[in-house]
Amino acid sequence: FKENRKDDIWLVDFYAPWCGHCKKLEPVWNEVGIEMRNMGSPVKVGKMDATSFSSIASEFGVRGYPTIKLLKGDLAYNYRGPRTKDDIVEFANRVAGPLIRPLPSQHMFEHVQKRHRVLFVYVGGESPLKEKYIEVASELIVYTYFFSASEDVLPEYVTLPELPAVLVFKDGTYFVYDEYEDGDLSSWINRERFQGYLTVDGFTLYELGDTGKLVAIAVIDDKNSSVEHTRLKSIIQEVARDYRDHFHRDFQFGHMDGNDYINSLLMDDLTIPTIVVLNTSNQQYFLPDRDIENTEDMVQFINNILDGTAEAQGGDGLLQRIKRIIYDAKSTVVSVFKSSPLLGCFLFGLPLGVISIMCYGICTADTDGGVDEPEAAKKENDDQELTDEGSEEDQEEKNGKYTELSDGELKQKDIMEKKKD
C-alpha cells in the first residue's frame, strides 16, 4: 500500500479492533464501498487496522479512531463530517475531483446552484486573487465546492463592482468578497461556508467554532408545536434574514432540538424553550436577562453583546475547568446508573468496597500489632528466664539429695563391716 497508493485515490478508514465507534461505522463503511463502486468512481475504498500498522497510521497523523482520510497524491484530507453514507460519499467525490470546477454555461450554473446550498465562484482571468483562491480551495475543499465562471454565465441580477471577484451564493442571494472589509480570503470563505440559518447539532456547533462567530441559538423541542417554541424559532429566523448585513460578520443563527447538548456545554439545566448565544472559541455564553418577545428584543440583546453590556458567563478559566471535570464525572456516574443500575453498582461499588477494606486493614494493623509486639516479646523472654531458673534450682536440689543419700549409705556400710569383724 505504501509503495502503490499514489497511483490511485484512496478513501481509507483507520480503525482499532476494540473501538466501539469503529464497529458502529463498519456497516456504513461497507455501504460507502458499494456505492462508490456502483457509481464507477475512481476512488478506492479500504480500511486499515491502525494498531497493527501503527507506522503507517503515524505517517498519516492518525490520532484517534476511527479516522477517515482521502489520500490523493502527496495530500491527505481529513473527513470531519457526519458518519453517514451520503455525507462520506459526497466528501469523497468532492475532494477526488478538481479543486476548481469550471461553469461553462448559464444552464450549468443553474444546475449547480440547485444542488448546492452554498456556492463559491471566482469570476475573471488570471490574477493574484485567483492564485489565492486556488490556494484556499486546496485547504477548504474538505468543506465545500469551488467553481469558476465568466461574467456572462452569471445570473442577470448579479452586478459586480470590478473584476476579478469572488462571490458566494446562498440564502437566495449573493455576496461579493471585499478584501478591505472582509479581511483574509481564507477567513472569509471559512465564515461564509454556512447558510445564514442552520439546524444546529453537536457536530455543527463544533464546526462553527472554526468561523470565530458567535452562535445565536433558539433551544426548542421540534416535536412541540406550542406557540412559545414556534415563536422563538421564528424570531431567530427573521433576525438572520432581515439583519444579515448588520450581524453576518459576527453571528451565526440557528435552532437546536432539545437541551441535552447545551446542558453539557453550559454545565447547567436550561429550561426550554429559550435563547442562548455561544462563544465556541472560549466556551463563554450569554443568556437574555428578560424574555425575548419579538425581533426587536432579540436585536437589542445582540447589540448588548456587541457593545459589551451583556454579562458573559462560563469561560475556559481554571475554575471553570475544574467545575467541568466535576460536572462531567457526575454526569457519567448518573448516566451509568440510569442506563444500568446493576452495572453502576458493580463499577463503582466494588472498587470503593475494596479500598475501604484495605484502609481498615492498614489502620487496625498499625494501632494493635505495632504497639503490643515489643511487650509480647518481653513477656516471652521473662517467662523463658523464669523457666530456666526453676530448672537450675530443681537440678541443684536433686544433686544435693543424691549426695546426702550417698554419705548415709557409706556410714551404714562401715558399721556393718565393724559388726562383721
Side-chain angles (χ1 to χ4, degrees), residues 13 16-17 19-30 66 83:
D13 167 29
C19 171
H21 294 292
C22 301
K23 294 177 181 178
K24 186 177 180 180
L25 176 64
E26 185 173 359
V28 176
W29 196 251
N30 293 334
R83 290 165 185 167

Side-chain angles (χ1 to χ4, degrees), residues 21-53:
H21 294 292
C22 301
K23 294 177 181 178
K24 186 177 180 180
L25 176 64
E26 185 173 359
V28 176
W29 196 251
N30 293 334
E31 293 178 1
V32 170
I34 295 172
E35 180 74 11
M36 298 298 287
R37 184 179 61 212
N38 292 340
M39 292 171 57
S41 171
V43 178
K44 292 187 175 182
V45 181
K47 61 181 181 179
M48 179 177 292
D49 183 351
T51 61
S52 297
F53 302 97

